[in-house]
Structure formats: C-alpha cells, structure tokens
Amino acid sequence: MNDGFGEEQDLSRIRSDVPGRAPDLSPQQREIRRNLGAIGPEIAAYYLDGIKILHSTDLETAASLLAHIAREIDGGLRDILSSDQARANIQKQLTEEVLTKLGDYSELKERKGHIASILAALGIDDALVFLSTDDVRVNFAIRWINVSTQFHRFAHRHGAWKVPRAREEFEVLWYEFEGILSNLVGSFLDLLSRLDRILAYKEPTSEIRSTLPNLLGSKERRAYFFSKLESPTWLEPLKEDGWFDPDWNPMPQESPDQPGYYYSSRWHALEYVVKVSTHPQCPINILVDIVNAITDESRERIDNGRTDLDTVKIISTLPIDRIEPQHITFMGAALKSSQKYGLMEQEIGQTILPKLLDGGKRKLTLALLSVILEVESVDGRIRPIMNEHWLEEALKKHWETIASVCDVEAAQITLAQIRALDAEDSSVFHFIHPVENDLLHLSRADYAKLIVNFTSSIFQFAQPVSITETIQGLLQESSVIIKRIAVRAITDHYRDLKHLFWEWEGNPLDGIGLETEVSELIQANSHTFNEDEMEQVLQWIESTQY
C-alpha cells in the first residue's frame, strides 16, 4: 500500500525474512506484512510465521497452529483499534435482533465482546446501523465477524483420540482472513484512518501506547498525529513513553541545495506540548519535567531554533514559582543560536519578562536582563544578541517596573555592558547628546543609546539615598559616558545629590565630553544656587579651557 508517507525502515525485511528461511510472499502478503509491521512487529511476526506454517509439509497440527496465530493477530488488532469504553457501549446494543442480522444468534450471543470490539475498531458506534442500512462498513464488519469467530473451533483440540485436523481444513479460512487483513490494514483502514481513530481516544490505552512507535515510524505521520492531537490527558503517558525526551530533538540539517546552510527541523511531539500547555487541565508537573530535561545544562545542547522557540513558549505558561535559573540560561543560549527565530525574542520580551516582573522575581529578572542585554560582534559591529527592535520595545514598555522591582541593580547590569562596549569602541557613544532619561521618546534607537538612556531612566526613578554611593563611584571612573550618566543622575536628583557636584575636584567644565551634561545641570538648577555657588560657577566659566 502506498499511503503517501515514506517509511524510515523497510518492514518487509525484518530478521526472520532471510532468503532460505521464509517462503516467497505474494504482493498482497508483502503489503499485509508491511502494514502489520507499522502497527506492531509482533503481529507482523505472527503473520509471517503463519505463512511458514501454511507452506510447511511436516507439521501435523498445522490447522491448530494457524488458528492460534490468526487469533493472536485478530485480537491484537482489535485491542489496538478499539477502546474499552467503546466496546462496552456497543456491547449493550447487541440485541438478539442485531446478532441475528450478523449471523447465527445461538453461536454469536456468547461472543458479544468479540463482536463489539470489531465494530468499535471499524468506528461503528451504533449497532442499530445493521438494522437500517447495508453500507460498506456493515458488510465488512459481517465478513470480519463471520471469519474471526470461527478461529476458536480450530485452535482447541477436537478430541484427544481423534486424528489432528489437516492443514487444508483451515486453509480456506486463512485465505479469507488474509482478505480481511488486506482491507483492514490496507485500503479500508489506511494508516491515517488508524491514526484518526486513535486521536479520538480521550487517553491512550496500553495497546495504543505500545504500537505508537511503529505507527509513527515516519516523520510525516508524526507530523500528522501530533498536529491533530488535542487532549491534555495524553501528555503524561506520552511523557512516560519518552516522546518528549531531549534525544528526540532534531539535529540541524545541512541544506542539500545550499551547502554550509543549516535548517532546523520540527520536533512535532513538542509542538503538541506547546498546544496543550495553556489548557486548564494540563498537568503542570509534567510540563516542568519536560522543560527541565530540555534545558538541563549537563546535557549537550542541540542548536535547534524551532525547539528553542517551543521551549520558551512552554516556559511562558508555567506558574511563576516554577520558572528556574536554568530556564533563563537556556534562553541566553537560544538567543545566541544561529538558528534562532525572531518570534522567540518577541516571546521573551512580551511574555517572559513581564511575567517575572509581575511575580516580583527580582533575581530572575536581573538574570534575564543580563541575557537580553548581552552583545556579540558580527562583521566588526557590536550588537545585542536580542533583536534591537524587540529589546527596545521590552525596555520601553517595562523600564519603570524593572526599576521598581530591581532598583539600582538593574543599572549595574547595563553599566557593565556600557563599560565593556566603551572599552571595545568608545566612538559608539559619541553621538549621544545629551544623555536622556525618557525612553518613550526614543525611536529606532541603536543599542548604545538605548542602554545609556535606560540606565539614566533607572537612576532617575530610584530613591536618591539608594544611588548616592553608586553615583559618587561613577564620577571617579575614567569613562566619559559613565561620568555623563552620573552627571545626569545628579541633575535629576539635584536637591539630594548636589553635594557630589560641588565637591568636584577641579573644573567640571574642563571635562572632555562632559560639557553638555554639566551645562544642563547648571541651567536647570541655577535658580537655586546661593551666592558662593554662583561665584564658583563663574570662576569655572572664566577658567575653562574651551
């Protein structure tokens, strides 16, 4: 059967199918075996052994052995394709009138469970359909029931004193069963139909869980299955079965058309986790376990931008007290990835950051700030690892809350970045005139101006007593831009910090690059100067070197 999906392994060549050990299979038999293998290797193995018995000439109990094998295959398929609840519901509807429509009532009344599982496997949830229509499912169900309910007659001894039944007695029934299998696992119930039936289950049975690895053997079927799966009750059993283990995270693949270019493949199972993570009935502990396994710092990182984005989305749905430092570290690595997706940066700026702030998580917020403000050198240009548009938007929108939650510690993070950037290339700050504290008026600011103004805004928002010592230390640094930020902070808190200005050693107007900020301080506060302070300013002006 060609169901439109490629297999990742050739199930027609399992170990027992070795030249000289198995008979030649007809095209139909090869197809049946291949499709049974997609459901379960054990069922496929039973089928192959049945064909071997069928062709054997030295087995005196061949009919009984074939019947046993047919029962195993039949039972296995019914277990996988039907649920206990569906079987129970249908069995209640199997009245004498319905069973008579299906065959000999006296024989079938003892096999209601068997019949109910066949109807459930075929998606017939209303047994009364047999009384009103003769559609294709009804005809196929009658055919399947009539064949499979005869297996028990051959599987058991019919008398210890009698001659064993000949193989030929069961041959006709076996070939009829092959016709059932051909339709059941082939054109009648193809792989996608089987997956659709499974998807309708509120939660997976043990049989379904066992067969899923085979049914989802190709990435195309995994994509189909997990894109359709909606129920959060599947999350825990799928997690127990290893579908969310980090080993499933696809490695980046090199493009065959563009050597040297790598792309990230989708981890379809994790996309299902993203989908159900917002469901009110989603088990939080399972989400946390999944995320913690992916973000485990002891594991070698797989650089997959799609997985990174999905992981960040899941983290964003966790309760605030379940977000951990390793999640923030993971985001830093993801932002540095060459495979990163822009939507991830949006998720961090618009969801993760405000969530930490709303929860008052000061340490985690500071850790995230350190991550999103980090820079890298690309083609000789310094730029933040986070897209400047999303970084600017995040800082503009949340700077005041950041200042409230983190206080001056937020400024210490940006000051560290400013010092590093200044040491690398101080010219990036030359075009900032003046240092401002109003982020909302910035438009498409570059990184240097953004972090300078953000730092100034933090100082402007802070209580003067909490920044006095810090500003005093900044005035002693050699960096011009650092001193300019300090002078701006004194201007914003002049009443409380003016002593730092008047204790200036030397002439502040002689400071190269400080002219703008010092002049603004004087102009903004000159109306408060006493006579001695005014005299001091005049002396500075007269003695200035410019």
Side-chain angles (χ1 to χ4, degrees):
M1 180 189 82
N2 181 2
D3 62 4
F5 292 100
E7 294 293 336
E8 291 183 348
Q9 56 182 332
D10 183 3
L11 293 171
S12 68
R13 298 289 295 176
I14 59 178
R15 193 178 69 164
S16 59
D17 187 12
V18 177
R21 297 188 59 189
D24 291 335
L25 304 184
S26 70
Q28 182 191 47
Q29 290 172 331
R30 284 196 297 270
E31 181 184 358
I32 291 172
R33 184 187 171 198
R34 181 172 60 251
N35 292 333
L36 286 175
I39 298 176
E42 185 178 55
I43 296 177
Y46 271 121
Y47 178 67
L48 181 62
D49 282 350
I51 296 174
K52 292 177 183 178
I53 293 171
L54 192 67
H55 287 78
S56 173
T57 58
D58 57 358
L59 293 174
E60 294 189 44
T61 59
S64 178
L65 295 174
L66 280 173
H68 276 291
I69 285 175
R71 293 182 77 187
E72 292 295 336
I73 297 171
D74 174 64
L77 288 173
R78 287 187 286 108
D79 286 343
I80 291 169
L81 298 175
S82 63
S83 67
D84 292 339
Q85 185 61 52
R87 290 193 292 268
N89 291 338
I90 296 172
Q91 189 167 342
K92 296 175 184 177
Q93 303 174 37
L94 295 177
T95 63
E96 180 176 351
E97 186 179 11
V98 172
L99 291 177
T100 300
K101 176 75 173 181
L102 295 174
D104 185 348
Y105 172 72
S106 61
E107 199 173 302
L108 295 180
K109 66 180 181 179
E110 304 298 327
R111 314 196 70 78
K112 284 185 177 181
H114 188 134
I115 295 169
S117 65
I118 288 177
L119 302 186
L122 296 176
I124 301 174
D125 53 11
D126 183 1
L128 297 179
V129 70
F130 288 95
L131 303 179
S132 59
T133 183
D134 288 323
D135 69 17
V136 65
R137 288 188 306 165
V138 169
N139 294 330
F140 186 79
I142 293 173
R143 184 179 163 202
W144 186 0
I145 291 168
N146 288 338
V147 170
S148 62
T149 53
Q150 297 184 59
F151 293 157
H152 71 285
R153 294 192 298 108
F154 292 87
H156 302 297
R157 297 190 308 271
H158 68 303
W161 60 91
K162 295 182 180 180
V163 176
R165 290 190 177 98
R167 182 189 68 246
E168 290 77 12
E169 290 186 56
F170 192 78
E171 254 185 49
V172 174
L173 203 58
W174 175 267
Y175 287 126
E176 288 183 14
F177 186 47
E178 280 194 334
I180 297 292
L181 293 177
S182 180
N183 286 323
L184 186 62
V185 299
S187 59
F188 184 83
L189 193 64
D190 63 19
L191 289 174
L192 293 190
S193 295
R194 270 178 264 157
L195 290 179
D196 286 336
R197 293 286 301 148
I198 290 172
L199 286 165
Y201 288 22
K202 185 177 179 181
E203 55 185 293
T205 64
S206 59
E207 293 83 6
I208 288 174
R209 291 172 63 178
S210 297
T211 197
L212 267 185
N214 302 298
L215 283 174
L216 305 184
S218 73
K219 63 181 180 181
E220 292 87 357
R221 289 200 296 275
R222 288 195 295 275
Y224 179 87
F225 179 79
F226 286 111
S227 69
K228 299 287 186 181
L229 186 60
E230 302 283 349
S231 173
T233 56
W234 281 68
L235 185 68
E236 185 169 1
L238 288 177
K239 192 263 180 185
E240 291 175 358
D241 294 341
W243 287 99
F244 313 124
D245 288 352
D247 289 340
W248 276 101
N249 188 6
M251 295 288 292
Q253 301 294 313
E254 186 173 16
S255 171
D257 301 323
Q258 297 177 273
Y261 174 78
Y262 289 81
Y263 62 91
S264 297
S265 298
R266 296 162 65 180
W267 183 358
H268 300 291
L270 194 65
E271 291 178 343
Y272 155 75
V273 181
V274 174
K275 185 167 36 178
V276 300
S277 64
T278 57
H279 195 286
Q281 296 179 0
C282 184
I284 298 301
N285 287 340
I286 302 301
L287 289 181
V288 172
D289 288 345
I290 292 170
V291 166
N292 286 350
I294 296 172
T295 61
D296 185 354
E297 296 176 61
S298 67
R299 297 183 62 94
E300 184 177 355
R301 171 174 163 76
I302 296 177
D303 201 13
N304 186 315
R306 292 180 182 272
T307 296
D308 291 346
L309 173 59
D310 287 340
T311 304
V312 170
K313 284 182 177 180
I314 298 168
I315 292 172
S316 73
T317 68
L318 298 180
I320 188 64
D321 61 344
R322 305 304 298 271
I323 298 179
E324 303 176 6
Q326 75 179 57
H327 302 158
I328 307 300
T329 302
F330 172 84
M331 292 180 209
L335 285 172
K336 295 175 186 176
S337 169
S338 61
Q339 302 289 318
K340 70 179 176 181
Y341 276 45
L343 290 175
M344 180 183 61
E345 298 169 309
Q346 181 180 0
E347 190 75 25
I348 291 173
Q350 293 187 349
T351 306
I352 302 291
L353 177 60
K355 186 165 193 166
L356 296 177
L357 291 169
D358 291 343
K361 295 295 183 178
R362 184 173 128 288
K363 289 185 178 180
L364 288 178
T365 300
L366 289 169
L368 185 59
L369 275 178
S370 295
V371 163
I372 66 177
L373 291 169
E374 191 174 341
V375 297
E376 60 185 353
S377 178
V378 179
D379 297 329
R381 176 177 175 268
I382 301 297
R383 70 180 188 189
I385 62 173
M386 185 169 176
N387 176 274
E388 287 180 281
H389 168 76
W390 295 116
L391 179 60
E392 179 180 339
E393 182 172 287
L395 295 184
K396 278 184 176 181
K397 187 173 183 178
H398 302 294
W399 76 267
E400 194 167 347
T401 313
I402 293 172
S404 176
V405 172
C406 301
D407 198 38
V408 71
E409 287 183 84
Q412 297 293 0
I413 291 173
T414 53
L415 286 169
Q417 291 295 338
I418 290 170
R419 292 186 186 100
L421 192 53
D422 190 39
E424 181 77 21
D425 182 8
S426 62
S427 66
V428 299
F429 299 108
H430 290 175
F431 301 99
I432 301 176
H433 289 287
V435 170
E436 297 178 284
N437 56 24
D438 189 352
L439 283 174
L440 296 182
H441 286 168
L442 287 178
S443 178
R444 299 182 63 83
D446 62 19
Y447 175 72
K449 188 170 186 178
L450 181 64
I451 60 171
V452 166
N453 286 18
F454 175 74
T455 307
S456 182
S457 298
I458 298 295
F459 284 138
Q460 190 273 337
F461 185 88
Q463 293 297 318
V465 66
S466 70
I467 63 171
T468 300
E469 187 175 341
T470 298
I471 299 303
Q472 187 174 26
L474 297 182
L475 290 171
Q476 307 307 312
E477 295 195 24
S478 59
S479 169
V480 173
I481 190 62
I482 294 291
K483 286 185 176 180
R484 291 174 62 193
I485 293 171
V487 174
R488 177 69 203 212
I490 295 173
T491 301
D492 292 334
H493 298 283
Y494 180 75
R495 187 180 67 178
D496 298 285
L497 300 183
K498 61 182 180 180
H499 64 283
L500 298 178
F501 177 68
W502 296 112
E503 293 171 359
W504 198 294
E505 293 184 11
N507 185 346
L509 293 175
D510 282 342
I512 298 176
L514 304 180
E515 301 89 345
T516 301
E517 280 67 40
V518 172
S519 296
E520 284 194 346
L521 183 152
I522 293 172
Q523 291 174 14
N525 298 285
S526 60
H527 64 285
T528 68
F529 293 172
N530 59 35
E531 186 175 336
D532 290 340
E533 291 169 343
M534 185 63 73
E535 181 64 28
Q536 179 65 74
V537 169
L538 291 175
Q539 289 181 14
W540 283 338
I541 293 173
E542 290 175 359
S543 63
T544 186
Q545 299 300 311
Y546 68 89

